[in-house]
Amino acid sequence: MTVLVTGGAGYIGSHTVLALAEAGEDVVVIDDLSTGFSSYLPEGVPLFIGDAGDENLLEGVIAQHNIESIIHFAGSVVVPDSMRDPLGYYRNNFTTARNLLNVAVKRGIDRFIFSSTAAVYGDPDQVPVPEHAPTRPLSPYGSSKLMTEIMLHDVAAAYGMQYVTLRYFNVAGADPQARIGLATVGATHLLKIAVEAATGQRAKIDVFGTDYPTQDGSCIRDFIHVTDLSQAHRSALAYLRNGGASTTLNCGYGRGYSVLETIDAVRRVSGRSFAVQYAPRRPGDIMTMVADTSRIRGLLDWKPQYDDLETIAAHALAWEDKLFRERHGELRHAASA
């Protein structure tokens, strides 16, 4: 039984591929490497470089490797970028998923795990946010993911597919052994930016909005460690293999930290100070987003191991230190060559 992982060389995808491979799963990856890195895949995992929406590529890979389940990560994820380029986001997030589902149906694949987002909720009416909360996305990013959720539901009903949609809250951290992590240049994740500032790669960190009605005026987020999230995908796959019904699950810890609290955690863990600059609110940003996690904890065999902000920050910092040393060493080597 082989699992196809689209976007498997990206940040969350590579951690999930690592978790699956370490559990003895046969895994195949399709990734265009626009934000992923082939070197982050475990040895022996086949990589097909290309578009996850290319139906000819999909047909060939699925036939060659006898795929029985799909985990779909491939897509675009930056809210401000989606405001500037909505058509690009609908193409990458919705059209790609449509093509992938079309091939999955033709090939008789009946298990599908979809990488979605808490951005589908928009500004929630209640916090923590349950899965049945109204979906009112504030960005093309959130809208494109919600459209894919609706399509997946309809496809599953029509063709007998079972699926799990995982709505991520704020994913952060890195592999605890610092083997892999977030390496995309220009990444917009808050903790990534903070550890880049702590390692001297950024002169400052911008905080967008300090006038929200929160305890310190900054937005509040529910962070989940990327390794815990990767294990949630493993648990979702086991759930489907055991005959579990299609469902949508929040992926978070059920607790919120403000932007300023998160920056302070990085300062404490690193022992380093860095400049913070305050800027106006950004369009599409959500004030408070904290998950109600009762459903995922009750339905899946999933127990988070890294539910601690300082632990998440420490793992992100260890990875960033390693990445910085490697890149600095490469530059020195190139300069001396």
Side-chain angles (χ1 to χ4, degrees):
M1 296 193 297
T2 303
V3 182
L4 170 62
V5 181
T6 69
Y11 174 43
I12 304 171
S14 62
H15 285 80
T16 301
V17 169
L18 179 62
L20 291 168
E22 289 184 334
E25 297 276 359
D26 290 325
V27 185
V28 174
V29 170
I30 294 178
D31 199 301
D32 67 4
L33 301 184
S34 58
T35 58
F37 301 87
S38 59
S39 59
Y40 294 170
L41 294 176
E43 186 176 353
V45 171
L47 167 65
F48 293 85
I49 301 174
D51 185 345
D54 180 339
E55 295 194 37
N56 290 327
L57 173 62
L58 290 165
E59 289 270 11
V61 171
I62 289 171
Q64 180 181 347
H65 289 276
N66 194 28
I67 302 299
E68 53 88 18
S69 299
I70 295 174
I71 304 178
H72 179 42
F73 291 102
S76 302
V77 301
V78 181
V79 169
D81 285 353
S82 79
M83 306 293 277
R84 292 186 290 268
D85 181 23
L87 287 174
Y89 270 66
Y90 287 117
R91 185 261 178 255
N92 290 341
N93 292 349
F94 179 74
T95 305
T96 294
R98 180 265 168 209
N99 294 351
L100 176 60
L101 284 169
N102 188 47
V103 174
V105 167
K106 286 197 290 186
R107 302 297 304 190
I109 297 170
D110 58 4
R111 287 187 288 270
F112 197 98
I113 298 171
F114 175 52
S115 163
S116 192
T117 171
V120 301
Y121 295 118
D123 267 324
D125 294 329
Q126 63 183 101
V127 177
V129 187
E131 287 87 352
H132 62 262
T135 47
R136 298 178 298 234
L138 299 179
S139 66
Y141 164 60
S143 295
S144 64
K145 289 288 192 176
L146 180 58
M147 287 171 61
T148 303
E149 288 191 18
I150 295 167
M151 176 175 59
L152 176 57
H153 174 272
D154 292 344
V155 168
Y159 300 105
M161 181 182 289
Q162 302 300 315
Y163 68 87
V164 174
T165 291
L166 298 177
R167 289 176 176 166
Y168 309 160
F169 282 62
N170 278 58
V171 188
D175 170 57
Q177 299 176 45
R179 291 171 293 181
I180 54 176
L182 181 55
T184 306
V185 175
T188 59
H189 300 61
L190 171 61
L191 259 169
K192 171 72 170 179
I193 292 171
V195 295
E196 285 180 345
T199 52
Q201 299 174 78
R202 289 178 181 262
K204 60 181 175 61
I205 180 170
D206 291 312
V207 175
F208 296 97
T210 57
D211 58 347
Y212 290 98
T214 60
Q215 72 266 26
D216 60 20
S218 64
C219 293
I220 295 175
R221 295 291 180 263
D222 184 345
F223 291 95
I224 179 171
H225 194 293
V226 64
T227 297
D228 280 338
L229 182 57
S230 70
Q231 294 300 329
H233 288 79
R234 274 195 61 217
S235 297
L237 183 60
Y239 166 82
L240 290 177
R241 284 174 173 167
N242 289 330
S246 296
T247 190
T248 297
L249 304 173
N250 287 337
C251 294
Y253 293 144
R255 67 178 73 189
Y257 298 95
S258 75
V259 171
L260 296 180
E261 286 176 325
T262 305
I263 292 170
D264 285 343
V266 172
R267 282 172 165 162
R268 288 194 301 273
V269 166
S270 67
R272 305 163 194 166
S273 185
F274 46 87
V276 175
Q277 180 170 304
Y278 302 103
R281 300 183 186 188
R282 293 181 301 189
D285 278 349
I286 297 164
M287 180 179 71
T288 301
M289 187 59 73
V290 178
D292 180 337
T293 61
S294 54
R295 183 184 290 184
I296 189 172
R297 292 175 188 268
L299 202 60
L300 300 189
D301 181 19
W302 179 69
K303 296 178 177 61
Q305 302 297 307
Y306 304 105
D307 181 3
D308 176 77
L309 183 60
E310 290 200 0
T311 298
I312 296 171
H315 290 165
L317 182 67
W319 165 252
E320 199 62 40
D321 275 332
K322 177 183 177 182
L323 197 62
F324 180 70
R325 288 195 304 272
E326 288 176 351
R327 287 175 174 168
H328 195 60
E330 289 172 1
L331 290 172
R332 282 204 312 268
H333 178 74
S336 61

